[in-house]
Amino acid sequence: KNEVEQSPQNLTAQEGEFITINCSYSVGISALHWLQQHPGGGIVSLFMLSSGKKKHGRLIATINIQEKHSSLHITASHPRDSAVYICAVSKAAGNKLTFGGGTRVLVKP
Amino acid sequence: DTGVSQDPRHKITKRGQNVTFRCDPISEHNRLYWYRQTLGQGPEFLTYFQNEAQLEKSRLLSDRFSAERPKGSFSTLEIQRTEQGDSAMYLCASSLTTGKAFFGQGTRLTVV
């Protein structure tokens, strides 16, 4: 079993819909990261969090340390949000990342 | 600073050839990571450096793979005697000791 599991693997939404991506992990962590990857490969770090909730624009990330679960929410989704969203954990501060398999999101106009 | 840069962006090579990739991290970042990503999968850890010291290597990094960061700045990843299974996106990232990671655009390797 992978240490980091994401669901769903694929998600299609209509523009304006609220999107939720889930991430569960099975190891002790220092931080959890949400990353965005567009076609062509570049990865952008969206959030790094170790507790609670963070918000940036239309993106919200939450984490429940006791349940070892995190969610990424996209409010008022837009076609430009179409990308692969990847959850990753670091087991110690500044250490390597262990990645989930990613969630491919397609937002249709 | 323009972020993490990787060179080349794409590389096509014949099986059995050697290839070398370069990563230039963000200048003040002391940590540098190499990851590999195959199609449809999340990235997998290969190795990482703190300054010039290679602190950890994955079991994925066979003896055909070697990475260096000679002066604690740029890093190179060399693959000797390439195999078709080496075809993947090779990603470099850098960070401060406790900060978030910044990724390069990756080098896509195709072994034919």
Side-chain angles (χ1 to χ4, degrees):
Chain A
K1 190 179 190 300
N2 292 337
E3 293 179 334
V4 182
E5 297 276 1
Q6 285 185 239
S7 63
Q9 284 187 301
N10 295 282
L11 185 158
T12 300
Q14 288 297 132
E15 183 173 356
E17 288 184 343
F18 183 85
I19 290 172
T20 295
I21 303 168
N22 295 299
C23 175
S24 296
Y25 54 93
S26 57
V27 294
I29 68 169
S30 169
L32 183 141
H33 304 250
W34 281 103
L35 309 158
Q36 181 191 57
Q37 186 172 34
H38 280 285
I43 292 178
V44 175
S45 179
L46 298 175
F47 297 102
M48 182 175 81
L49 65 165
S50 54
S51 65
K53 177 179 174 178
K54 287 191 175 181
K55 184 175 189 292
H56 185 261
R58 295 180 293 104
L59 300 178
I60 303 167
T62 64
I63 188 168
N64 184 317
I65 297 294
Q66 287 74 30
E67 296 187 2
K68 295 187 174 177
H69 180 269
S70 176
S71 293
L72 177 69
H73 306 285
I74 306 175
T75 63
S77 59
H78 190 277
R80 65 175 173 265
D81 298 325
S82 298
V84 176
Y85 292 84
I86 304 173
C87 171
V89 300
S90 51
K91 297 178 189 176
N95 211 334
K96 65 185 181 187
L97 296 178
T98 302
F99 295 82
T103 296
R104 186 173 300 275
V105 172
L106 175 64
V107 181
K108 294 183 175 180
Chain B
D1 189 275
T2 56
V4 180
S5 64
Q6 292 187 244
D7 183 70
R9 292 289 309 277
H10 303 274
K11 178 72 176 179
I12 300 174
T13 191
K14 291 184 178 179
R15 191 175 53 185
Q17 298 294 304
N18 299 344
V19 294
T20 300
F21 310 140
R22 177 178 169 126
C23 172
D24 286 89
I26 293 173
S27 56
E28 63 267 26
H29 285 182
N30 56 347
R31 294 213 167 176
L32 186 149
Y33 309 81
W34 286 100
Y35 297 94
R36 181 172 69 185
Q37 186 178 26
T38 52
L39 206 60
Q41 304 295 318
E44 296 174 295
F45 169 75
L46 292 179
T47 188
Y48 89 98
F49 295 83
Q50 172 141 328
N51 301 313
E52 67 275 10
Q54 189 173 19
L55 296 189
E56 187 176 347
K57 290 171 59 172
S58 164
R59 287 171 295 172
L60 293 174
L61 218 64
S62 76
D63 57 5
R64 297 184 298 105
F65 288 70
S66 62
E68 294 182 340
R69 194 182 183 197
K71 297 182 180 178
S73 56
F74 73 91
S75 175
T76 58
L77 177 68
E78 181 183 16
I79 309 174
Q80 296 182 325
R81 305 180 304 280
T82 52
E83 302 173 356
Q84 285 189 319
D86 297 331
S87 296
M89 175 76 82
Y90 290 83
L91 293 161
C92 176
S94 71
S95 73
L96 295 171
T97 304
T98 57
K100 72 176 183 178
F102 291 80
F103 285 81
Q105 291 292 307
T107 294
R108 184 172 296 283
L109 173 67
T110 302
V111 182
V112 297

